[in-house]
Amino acid sequence: MISVNDFKTGLTIEVDNGIWRVMDFQHVKPGKGAAFVRSKLRNLRTGAVQEKTFRAGEKVGKAQIDNRKMQYLYANGDQHVFMDNESYEQIELPAASIEYELKFLKENMEVSIMMYQGETLGVELPNTVELEVTETEPGIKGDTASGGSKPATLETGLTVQVPFFINQGDRLIINTTESSYVSRA
């Protein structure tokens, strides 16, 4: 058991028969009444995001999540195959459960698979990934005075806003939490 006063971003807890990851939290101490913790939680089974308020000092169960390093191999219809780097065991995950992560996954890419008591919860991506631009409009000289941006489609099908100087074939570093351009690779 863990006290809600000890919440940290990224902590995994068990509440209401679900496994939740703390995305954001705020300790609130009103002038009148008892203190409480307002939190934003993501359900690791369904991906649903929920705001929940706990009384200060309330205890919740801590979920022990195992992160296993695996390599993304290929898509097999609606299933996506991952291989454990140590045991070479392969698991399949349905596309619906990793819909957001598929925008960043390339074949042979290493990711962390979240496991809870033998159940596969999902894929944890690295903070940034390197992807190639497959389609973008050519930058026109002199267009950068206002520091604008243009859409670019990457090799995984993801579309992000990039600066005008980015061209087709460039390799970019993309932030996976915000789906945004970071820099050239």
Side-chain angles (χ1 to χ4, degrees):
M1 297 295 273
I2 187 169
S3 169
V4 295
N5 297 338
D6 298 329
F7 271 10
K8 291 180 176 48
T9 302
L11 179 72
T12 317
I13 59 172
E14 287 181 75
V15 178
D16 303 332
N17 295 324
I19 301 161
W20 302 83
R21 171 162 285 154
V22 178
M23 295 174 62
D24 194 25
F25 67 96
Q26 180 181 13
H27 293 279
V28 180
K29 191 172 180 195
K32 181 180 175 188
F36 58 91
V37 177
R38 189 177 293 137
S39 62
K40 188 175 182 182
L41 308 172
R42 168 174 272 135
N43 188 319
L44 294 180
R45 287 191 177 115
T46 64
V49 176
Q50 178 182 13
E51 295 205 4
K52 192 158 177 64
T53 304
F54 299 94
R55 291 184 309 276
E58 192 175 333
K59 302 268 188 204
V60 294
K62 185 172 193 248
Q64 187 61 44
I65 302 293
D66 297 323
N67 284 327
R68 292 171 55 189
K69 291 277 184 213
M70 292 201 174
Q71 185 177 27
Y72 175 60
L73 295 180
Y74 58 89
N76 185 9
D78 195 33
Q79 299 288 320
H80 295 270
V81 181
F82 295 85
M83 180 183 68
D84 190 314
N85 292 344
E86 293 162 13
S87 68
Y88 301 109
E89 170 191 348
Q90 292 185 4
I91 62 165
E92 290 187 358
L93 293 177
S97 70
I98 56 170
E99 200 170 330
Y100 176 77
E101 290 84 354
L102 285 175
K103 299 175 188 174
F104 305 99
L105 283 177
K106 294 190 310 186
E107 289 185 359
N108 301 323
M109 182 178 184
E110 277 206 10
V111 293
S112 249
I113 301 288
M114 295 180 289
M115 308 282 277
Y116 176 72
Q117 297 177 348
E119 174 190 359
T120 304
L121 295 175
V123 175
E124 197 169 280
L125 295 166
N127 291 335
T128 59
V129 293
E130 187 178 311
L131 298 171
E132 186 176 326
V133 177
T134 55
E135 186 182 323
T136 187
E137 300 164 9
I140 299 162
K141 200 170 184 84
D143 265 357
T144 57
S146 63
S149 60
K150 61 182 181 178
T153 305
L154 306 175
E155 60 187 299
T156 58
L158 176 68
T159 302
V160 294
Q161 292 294 321
V162 297
F164 286 119
F165 60 82
I166 300 296
N167 298 312
Q168 195 167 325
D170 286 356
R171 298 197 64 74
L172 307 179
I173 296 176
I174 303 297
N175 180 329
T176 56
T177 53
E178 298 170 358
S179 298
S180 62
Y181 165 83
V182 176
S183 68
R184 278 185 175 162

